Amino acid sequence: MPPYTIVYFPTRGRCEAMRMLLADQGQSWKEEVVTKETWLQGPLKASCLYGQLPKFQDGDLTLYQSNAILRHLGRTFGLYGKDQREAALVDMVNDGVEDVRRHCGRLIHHNYEEGKAKYFQELPERLKPFETLLVQNQGGQAFIVGDQISFADYNLLDLLLNHQVLAPSCLDSHPLLLAYVKRLSARPKLKAYLASPEHMNRPVHRAQKT
């Protein structure tokens, strides 16, 4: 049996970055898919520490909160920078990704049709910090921090790919981010995962609209 289990809804949502990380690191995992009907019945929700998913099993360790899970996997696979300085920058990037993810979640779940034009008009400014960090790190030809991939790279890549699903040209004003997406997506194991039905058939969010 795989040592890892992801318990989540049938979407990319809060779990796709950890799936991409595991796939790229050559790991296998089990999926326990939770339907809306099962969730609304109540017992599973009541059993979750914070009353929400994802739930992540690593052997006998149970974790909740998607960013805590990513940090755990970052420590497990050496994806947390090469020293304390890089680790601090990786944490900063991941918090920045969370900020944008929350904005996107509000758009998707509350006012997509009315708010999408304004959201994507403001998106370049929200993405600007990540392009700035890329420029500062080997002129944008490497990872978001340092010279090795980190868990924040997977989270940022997932965020950018999701936005491209919603608006395919949304990165055109950020050529370094566009190149970053292409470069990371070409990593052999990650490329295979991104082309798999498991990834392709999952909507970005439960309330995804196009």
Side-chain angles (χ1 to χ4, degrees):
M1 289 289 292
Y4 306 110
T5 300
I6 294 172
V7 183
Y8 197 55
F9 307 108
T11 66
R12 299 179 193 179
R14 288 280 181 174
C15 285
E16 206 62 15
M18 64 186 79
R19 293 175 180 126
M20 288 160 54
L21 184 158
L22 289 169
D24 196 42
Q25 297 300 312
Q27 303 298 306
S28 59
W29 68 95
K30 178 184 175 184
E31 295 271 355
E32 290 187 8
V33 179
V34 178
T35 65
K36 181 179 179 180
E37 292 72 25
T38 296
W39 186 246
L40 291 176
Q41 286 171 6
L44 176 59
K45 180 179 175 70
S47 74
C48 293
L49 184 61
Y50 296 99
Q52 60 191 27
L53 297 175
K55 174 182 176 180
F56 185 83
Q57 298 281 161
D58 178 357
D60 60 358
L61 173 65
T62 300
L63 291 174
Y64 299 90
Q65 300 289 351
S66 57
N67 286 302
I69 296 164
L70 283 174
R71 289 192 292 270
H72 169 66
L73 293 173
R75 287 186 289 266
T76 299
F77 295 107
L79 307 171
Y80 219 134
K82 66 184 178 185
D83 53 29
Q84 286 190 340
R85 179 181 183 277
E86 286 194 0
L89 291 171
V90 168
D91 279 332
M92 180 185 73
V93 171
N94 202 61
D95 285 358
V97 171
E98 177 64 18
D99 285 346
V100 181
R101 196 181 289 279
R102 286 181 184 275
H103 282 292
C104 186
R106 283 196 292 270
L107 173 74
I108 291 289
H109 293 291
H110 298 295
N111 65 330
Y112 186 78
E113 292 302 328
E114 298 80 6
K116 63 182 179 181
K118 184 174 186 288
Y119 178 87
F120 285 104
Q121 183 180 358
E122 296 173 348
L123 183 63
E125 192 64 25
R126 291 200 175 108
L127 296 181
K128 186 177 179 180
F130 304 113
E131 184 130 311
T132 298
L133 287 167
L134 280 174
V135 170
Q136 294 172 352
N137 188 28
Q138 302 180 41
Q141 302 306 307
F143 302 103
I144 197 68
V145 174
D147 57 7
Q148 62 186 29
I149 200 165
S150 71
F151 74 88
D153 283 295
Y154 297 107
N155 206 14
L156 177 56
L157 177 61
D158 175 50
L159 179 79
L160 297 174
L161 289 172
N162 288 347
H163 278 77
Q164 286 184 310
V165 170
L166 299 173
S169 63
C170 68
L171 299 183
D172 287 358
S173 61
H174 289 296
L176 284 182
L177 283 177
L178 195 58
Y180 169 86
V181 168
K182 292 179 180 178
R183 186 167 62 251
L184 264 61
S185 299
R187 291 167 63 88
K189 291 176 183 176
L190 189 51
K191 181 179 180 180
Y193 174 72
L194 293 174
S196 70
E198 290 78 13
H199 172 78
M200 296 291 291
N201 293 339
R202 285 192 192 103
V204 173
H205 297 282
R206 281 185 290 168
Q208 181 181 340
K209 300 177 177 69
T210 57

